[in-house]
Amino acid sequence: MPTTLSLTIRAEVPAQPGAFGQVMAAIGDAAGEVVGVEVVRSTKATVTRDIIVQVRGDEGGEAVVGAIRGVSGVKVHEVTDRVLLAHQGGKMAMQNRMALKSRDDLSMAYTPGVARVCMAIHDDPEQVWDLTIRANTVMVVSDGSAVVGEGDLGPEASLPAVEAKCMFLREMAGIDGFPLPVTVRDPDEMVRVLARISSVVGGYHLTDIAEPRCFEVVHKLGAAVDVPVFHDNQEGHAAAMLAAVMNGLELAGKQLSESRLVVCGLGPYGVATVRTMVGAGAGEVIACNRDGAVHSGREGLDPDLLWVAEHTNPQGRTGTVHELLKGADVFIGFSVPGLLSADDVRSMAADPVVFALAMPDPEISPQEAAGVARVLGTGRPDAPNQINSTLAFPGIWRGALDCRATRINDEMVMAAAHAIAQVCRDEGLAEDYVVPSVFNKRLVPAVAAAVRRAAEESGVARIPVGAG
């Protein structure tokens, strides 16, 4: 499905009755949707307007602009992509927390006052957490190899996506995220580069890194530094996914420990979800990819899939996803659009719970799943129950930084999932409300508190709950 674009089209239209109506009709005939009109200037002969139009992809935009140009007497002066315009100059900036408006301010911020601060840290290195930005700073890192579903675009092209993650951290959790697209691809070299800047960060947030490199970087960087290393495509999605599954099964009157789950697609999202579901005590987890079910007898498995084979599918089931779905309680997909039919969902157990997260379109459309699935979730923002790592990672990082955790472990991810689920339960579960909105004001504080408790209980917190 083409991406919806929002264009601002500046058009000069003859100042005569019916002329602008012809423009509006032409836009509608070209499948554009007008969402706003503003007069820029007016003369006796013409009226120039900015027309804001939603279109389906670049081809849709070209069709709308062509249709407007086809109206007699109309001139199109400028076409602006409103998304690109919004990104002009980047989406974020650094700013000072301390005033710098006088000589006294300067002596406090810099010389001679700053020397005292430098010496304090020299004498007690732990003071760096209290006297610098480190305690509230996360480095958001990508190599540009798997950018927001568009594939390998390179490090520079990943920067807008990395900036967005920094925005989420600041807006939702009050955390200073710093974007860092790296130009190296070798995992060992990437780890060496990142480890050398650990003195300025409270943690590393990895994103949009292709498999299997992402798995290797997470493991090796985590072993090289004493601050958390978090991959939102793994732990972030897994926490959100577990919350959604628990709440979906609650509505269906089922227990996770007695349910069978089928996970289709075994990239970073899928493998992390499988690990989390197994750790949460799911009754039976069956994982599959384009080659069918993963089982202990399957050959040629990489280390991550070998772990999946050893910890899932106890019955040794084989076959395609369509065969594996028969009698299953939950489907979780990270695969390809249009994979499933309504009949596939009907073959599942009563009150099936379906999370179809393929992008840009799910494995089954909401229209086809309506009346068949008890609960449906997708990765799309224009449908209920959007499953996204943003539900989890701002709160996880807030909790981890508040206790100066040395790592983000499975216990903290599980705690985040239960906290996300509880927000919905407190407000009233429904088929179209198994995960909260990312803008729910209760979400980040609830996740942060649960994560901080889990960090202390699992022994990775530098400072205890109630301190700091």
Side-chain angles (χ1 to χ4, degrees), residues 18 28 74 82 102 114 201 206 293 299:
V74 174
R82 297 179 69 228
S102 66
V114 75
V201 298
L206 306 183
E299 298 180 353

Side-chain angles (χ1 to χ4, degrees), residues 104-144:
D104 185 56
D105 292 340
L106 182 61
S107 68
M108 293 280 286
Y110 190 45
T111 185
V114 75
R116 290 180 56 199
V117 185
C118 294
M119 288 306 300
I121 296 172
H122 173 75
D123 294 337
D124 179 9
E126 286 297 304
Q127 291 259 31
V128 71
W129 296 100
D130 297 310
L131 300 176
T132 73
I133 65 172
R134 187 180 186 188
N136 197 51
T137 298
V138 171
M139 193 71 71
V140 183
V141 181
S142 174
D143 65 358

